[in-house]
Amino acid sequence: MPIDPAKLAPPGVRTLAPYIPGKPLEELEREYGISDSIKLASNENPLGPGQRALAAIAQTTRQIGLYPDGSGFKLKQALARKHGCGTDCITLGNGSNDVLVLIAEAFLSPQSEAVYSQYTFAVYPIAVQATGATARIAPANPAGHAMPLGHDLVALAQLINERTRLVFVANPNNPTGTWVTADALRRFIAAVPEQTLVVVDEAYIEYVSDSDFPDASRWLGEFPNLIVTRTFSKVYGLAGLRVGYALSHPSVADMINRVRQPFNVNALALAAALAALDDAEHLQRSVETNRAGMAQLRAGFEALGIHQLPSAGNFVMIDCGRPAAAVYDTMLRRGVIVRPVGNYGLPNHLRITIGTREQNERMLAALKQALHP
Ligand SMILES: Cc1ncc(COP(=O)(O)O)c(C=O)c1O
């Protein structure tokens, strides 16, 4: 009897639950025989990329016969200026997802542990488990908390021991949208022992206007065990190109760069990200669209009597008060893709990305239909 070659993979890989992405538009339209559907399932920018990024992509297409600049020199220079750090603090990735996986590869081993919260970004468990390290999962805030289902920093701190190499804190958090304040996060980081790296994932930070909200990159000089990750997939509208980065102490960046593929960020992504950094107008328009959409969704959910979580991102999580799978399915049939989060252990909740005004209207109508047919 031949052996199942899957058994050749180490246990951490064999037992991985693969990441479940938002349903692609094309798949929905193929399966249901519909057209003109909308996707509010993956926290993308409904405006897409700005004109400057598009122009940079068009210009760069002529160069794609060549390998990209593996050092990402120009983009790193621009990011170093933006963050007031040296280029040696920056690691570029094929999306911040790539950076998160590289951090796990560089710092975890089957002998070490990583800590994250109960309802947080699904890539952390995958990145950790693939290395053979042990994941310790902290209970989230209770439903009645001001930040329901969000990070309980005390519970996270309690799980840190001498084997802990990484702690992941998404701020704002996905899928809940909740956040931790500057004071609380700073106190947490200051109390983490120096042999544990704190990864603060700021994928949605550009959307946040709260004066209490931390930009953890400002603390990099103080905490050599701090890593901050950012992405061009959200407010910059470049999710399809895949580019993100980590900011850290140069020694940490050196370690992450050792496991990085030499050309992990493609030429179009490098050019588009560089141009996007210069497009303040698109950034502002994207943030404003999100702010207006957030108000529209809040009012719409309230009118439908739906419980909604606080959110500082470009998405809102709602509690349908019943299994969300049927609600999701009815919305799909009306051409609206949102995100069920049963895989996060939240079977009654849906995570909904904020779209344009028209998309939001259509989503709210589909939701109403699904809840009150
Ligand atoms: C909290 C968080 N971090 C990181 C990412 C990864 O984004 P990307 O790999 O596109 O940069 C996401 C994407 O949804 C996210 O929600």
Side-chain angles (χ1 to χ4, degrees), residues 237-273:
L238 297 174
L241 278 182
R242 316 301 303 126
V243 52
Y245 58 100
L247 300 165
S248 67
H249 188 282
S251 305
V252 171
D254 180 24
M255 289 302 119
I256 308 172
N257 270 298
R258 291 185 195 203
V259 290
R260 185 179 68 86
Q261 286 176 45
F263 305 109
N264 65 334
V265 184
N266 70 75
L268 300 180
L270 286 172

Side-chain angles (χ1 to χ4, degrees), residues 19 42-43 93-100 120-124 170-175 201-204 229-234 238-239 242-245 315 339 344 351:
Y19 181 79
S42 300
N43 302 343
N94 185 33
S96 58
N97 189 331
D98 183 32
V99 171
L100 293 164
T120 195
F121 187 39
V123 160
Y124 309 152
N171 199 38
N173 187 39
N174 172 18
D201 178 344
E202 296 184 336
Y204 301 96
T229 61
R230 298 276 186 108
T231 183
F232 286 91
S233 298
K234 307 300 176 185
L238 297 174
R242 316 301 303 126
V243 52
Y245 58 100
F315 58 93
R339 189 68 159 267
Y344 283 89
R351 192 196 68 195

Side-chain angles (χ1 to χ4, degrees), residues 11 39 48 53-54 78 82 86 88 144-145 157-158 190 201 205 214 221 227 233 239 273 290 297 301 307 337 369-370:
K39 181 181 175 217
L54 287 172
K82 172 180 161 80
D88 56 355
H145 192 276
Q158 277 169 355
D201 178 344
I205 191 168
I227 306 177
S233 298
N290 191 65
L297 258 57
F301 294 144
H307 176 71
I337 311 174
Q369 174 78 24

